[in-house]
Amino acid sequence: MAEELTPETPEPGAETPETAEEPIKQRKNGLYPGVSDELAENMKSGWADTELHGLRPIPQAAETAARRAALSARFPGERLVIPAGNLKTRSNDTEYAFRASTEYAYLTGDQTQDGVLVLEPKGEGHRATVYLLPRSDRENGEFWLDGQGELWVGRRHSLTEAEQLLGLPAKDVRELPAALKEATGPVRNVRGHDAGIEAALADKVTAERDEELRVHLSEARAVKDAFEIGELQKAVDSTVRGFEDVVRILDKAEATSERYIEGTFFLRARVEGNDIGYGSICAAGSHATTLHWVRNDGDVRSGDLLLLDAGVETHTLYTADVTRTLPINGSYSEIQRKIYDAVYESQEAGIAAVRPGAKYRDFHDASQRVLAEKLVEWGLLEGPVERALELGLQRRWTLHGTGHMLGLDVHDCAAARREAYVDGTLEPGMCLTVEPGLYFQADDLTVPEEYRGIGVRIEDDILVTEDGNRNLSAGLPRRADEVEAWMAALKQS
């Protein structure tokens, strides 16, 4: 990785590259002592015009406009500020890959760091403007001297280009903090993404009002439009191919570690999508009993199970979330199949309960009942089943809820009110996971030794339809014998 020529962060009150008349101060320990006047002048000229013309709007431009209109109607007469967020430092002068805030991406379709959407009251509605960084300045040297200059991190769209793509007026985001400080009237801001914007609005907002905006945007995402459903299906389809990739390389994973599985799935995610939607869980053997095992540094052994929980995130940031528990050698043992079949039966009951008009909790309750019945049948839990469920005794081995909303976030709509989410009612267009599991810890002395170290979860992405549901991830087999046949066919291909 090349060392940037970026100037050191100036002391408070010091001149910045935009205003300094003196030569730009160089990075501490940089190999060049400075920038000569001749070089600075040379770098200003000789560059071709790269402005793009006739750009078509992004595919979801109509949907993002409709979402902004709905938001405008909900908060009439109020200025609404929705930031994309800033880069976050990983170590010293390296940053994490940027991911725009969900609220910003939902309302604009843009994924630009430092971007801010502002809805300013106008008449009976709002005027929406997106504030972005313009092209790097070539006059002051920012494009080649600044760590985020275009010669370092790549070209960004001009404001005119952004307007064509997003269907919104675009302005320079560096002018926004000053404008917000002068703003009058009620203001709401989505907090937690941009400290500079929050500082500019410090005396104009309240935590309660800002939270109300965040909650509203979370609930607005519960019912997906046609574009979103299409993106979720794309995410799932790529995820199915990623699972197929993993099955084909299990012999290589046995020779290395769970990281080979992680890397294999990641390759599919980066080739067909933007990224993985969350840290892949590639849990072999007893690691499958750890719900969020993302270290992925353990051994992969024939005869054990692999719990693979992974999802591709599309270029528009919608993510799949699918889990399969696979026999590494291609065949379930008797005890593995017994536990797997119980989870499969539980998931079948849960999926059957997903339909419009049903309570959100119904699929969870249906799945948990099946698992509790199995645990009582096996003698691991004292009955009757009703008592076990009332006291939640099955949770020693089922551990987690049976699903969650899915969308731009893997746990989408998380800020929604309880009455609109877990205590709410399913509607067509909602997308959720159904993912029961049984987990017998390696050190659990309350179960027979043959159960210990076995973890099984089966997870699918389910869309609520007008007349029931559709399993978006039906391309992956679930029944034990179908899984074995599928794996055998892939290993021969």
Side-chain angles (χ1 to χ4, degrees), residues 147-276:
Q148 293 301 311
E150 292 183 353
L151 289 193
W152 287 102
V153 299
R155 184 188 190 277
R156 52 184 178 251
H157 286 297
S158 70
L159 298 182
T160 301
E161 292 168 354
E163 289 180 344
Q164 296 175 59
L165 290 166
L166 304 178
L168 281 167
K171 295 184 179 180
D172 190 335
V173 71
R174 294 171 296 188
E175 301 169 359
L176 182 58
L180 291 177
K181 287 180 181 179
E182 300 300 320
T184 58
V187 183
R188 295 179 190 259
N189 175 47
V190 178
R191 298 190 182 197
H193 301 299
D194 193 316
I197 295 300
E198 291 181 23
L201 293 172
D203 61 345
K204 304 177 189 301
V205 296
T206 67
E208 293 77 13
R209 288 166 52 79
D210 286 356
E211 179 64 10
E212 188 177 359
L213 173 60
R214 188 173 78 102
V215 167
H216 171 77
L217 287 171
S218 193
E219 293 178 7
R221 299 198 308 276
V223 175
K224 272 58 181 178
D225 58 38
F227 175 84
E228 293 179 290
I229 293 169
E231 290 301 294
L232 285 168
Q233 188 65 69
K234 285 181 188 177
V236 169
D237 291 346
S238 289
T239 298
V240 168
R241 290 187 283 273
F243 274 64
E244 293 171 346
D245 295 339
V246 167
V247 171
R248 291 188 178 101
I249 57 83
L250 281 177
D251 57 336
K252 295 182 175 64
E254 287 187 59
T256 51
S257 75
E258 295 163 340
R259 290 190 177 185
Y260 205 100
I261 296 168
E262 178 183 11
T264 298
F265 187 85
F266 180 69
L267 177 61
R268 177 67 66 173
R270 285 293 283 164
V271 168
E272 295 194 0
N274 176 61
D275 206 330
I276 50 175

Side-chain angles (χ1 to χ4, degrees), residues 11 18 27 49 95 198 204 293 296 361 363 432 437 482:
E11 296 296 325
E18 287 78 17
R27 170 191 296 277
D49 179 10
E95 293 87 18
E198 291 181 23
K204 304 177 189 301
W293 176 261
N296 299 334
R361 291 180 177 275
F363 77 92
L432 53 93
E482 293 175 342

Side-chain angles (χ1 to χ4, degrees), residues 87-410:
L87 285 175
K88 292 181 172 58
T89 300
R90 180 180 185 273
S91 174
N92 188 28
D93 59 352
T94 61
E95 293 87 18
Y96 288 104
F98 179 73
R99 203 277 196 183
S101 75
T102 292
E103 296 85 358
Y104 177 84
Y106 177 73
L107 292 167
T108 67
D110 182 50
Q111 299 179 36
T112 306
Q113 68 196 52
D114 303 321
V116 183
L117 172 68
V118 177
L119 272 64
E120 185 175 353
K122 182 179 181 182
E124 296 182 357
H126 288 80
R127 179 177 65 242
T129 304
V130 62
Y131 289 83
L132 304 166
L133 282 173
R135 296 288 309 281
S136 289
D137 193 329
R138 301 205 175 212
E139 282 298 310
N140 66 10
E142 178 256 338
F143 81 108
W144 71 288
L145 290 173
D146 187 271
Q148 293 301 311
E150 292 183 353
L151 289 193
W152 287 102
V153 299
R155 184 188 190 277
R156 52 184 178 251
H157 286 297
S158 70
L159 298 182
T160 301
E161 292 168 354
E163 289 180 344
Q164 296 175 59
L165 290 166
L166 304 178
L168 281 167
K171 295 184 179 180
D172 190 335
V173 71
R174 294 171 296 188
E175 301 169 359
L176 182 58
L180 291 177
K181 287 180 181 179
E182 300 300 320
T184 58
V187 183
R188 295 179 190 259
N189 175 47
V190 178
R191 298 190 182 197
H193 301 299
D194 193 316
I197 295 300
E198 291 181 23
L201 293 172
D203 61 345
K204 304 177 189 301
V205 296
T206 67
E208 293 77 13
R209 288 166 52 79
D210 286 356
E211 179 64 10
E212 188 177 359
L213 173 60
R214 188 173 78 102
V215 167
H216 171 77
L217 287 171
S218 193
E219 293 178 7
R221 299 198 308 276
V223 175
K224 272 58 181 178
D225 58 38
F227 175 84
E228 293 179 290
I229 293 169
E231 290 301 294
L232 285 168
Q233 188 65 69
K234 285 181 188 177
V236 169
D237 291 346
S238 289
T239 298
V240 168
R241 290 187 283 273
F243 274 64
E244 293 171 346
D245 295 339
V246 167
V247 171
R248 291 188 178 101
I249 57 83
L250 281 177
D251 57 336
K252 295 182 175 64
E254 287 187 59
T256 51
S257 75
E258 295 163 340
R259 290 190 177 185
Y260 205 100
I261 296 168
E262 178 183 11
T264 298
F265 187 85
F266 180 69
L267 177 61
R268 177 67 66 173
R270 285 293 283 164
V271 168
E272 295 194 0
N274 176 61
D275 206 330
I276 50 175
Y278 54 95
S280 299
I281 298 168
C282 308
S286 62
H287 289 163
T289 66
T290 300
L291 297 183
H292 286 173
W293 176 261
V294 293
R295 299 180 202 172
N296 299 334
D297 58 0
D299 293 331
V300 178
R301 299 187 180 92
S302 179
D304 284 347
L305 296 176
L306 166 68
L307 190 157
L308 178 59
D309 184 337
V312 172
E313 178 186 80
T314 65
H315 294 292
T316 57
L317 305 185
Y318 288 85
T319 184
D321 183 7
V322 179
T323 305
R324 291 294 184 269
T325 305
L326 310 173
I328 292 169
N329 64 9
S331 298
Y332 295 100
S333 70
E334 183 178 353
I335 184 64
Q336 289 169 351
R337 182 183 287 265
K338 174 183 175 179
I339 296 169
Y340 185 94
D341 286 348
V343 175
Y344 172 76
E345 186 178 332
S346 167
Q347 195 202 27
E348 282 282 273
I351 293 174
V354 175
R355 57 183 177 274
K359 295 296 183 184
Y360 178 85
R361 291 180 177 275
D362 287 353
F363 77 92
H364 168 72
D365 292 342
S367 289
Q368 290 293 300
R369 175 171 291 278
V370 171
L371 294 179
E373 289 171 349
K374 295 295 182 182
L375 292 167
V376 170
E377 177 187 325
W378 298 341
L380 304 182
L381 195 59
E382 183 180 349
V385 171
E386 292 296 340
R387 174 180 175 273
L389 289 169
E390 181 181 355
L391 298 176
L393 301 180
Q394 82 284 358
R395 292 180 61 185
R396 180 182 179 103
W397 301 289
T398 66
L399 295 178
H400 55 80
T402 312
H404 53 79
M405 293 288 193
L406 184 68
L408 279 168
D409 289 333
V410 66

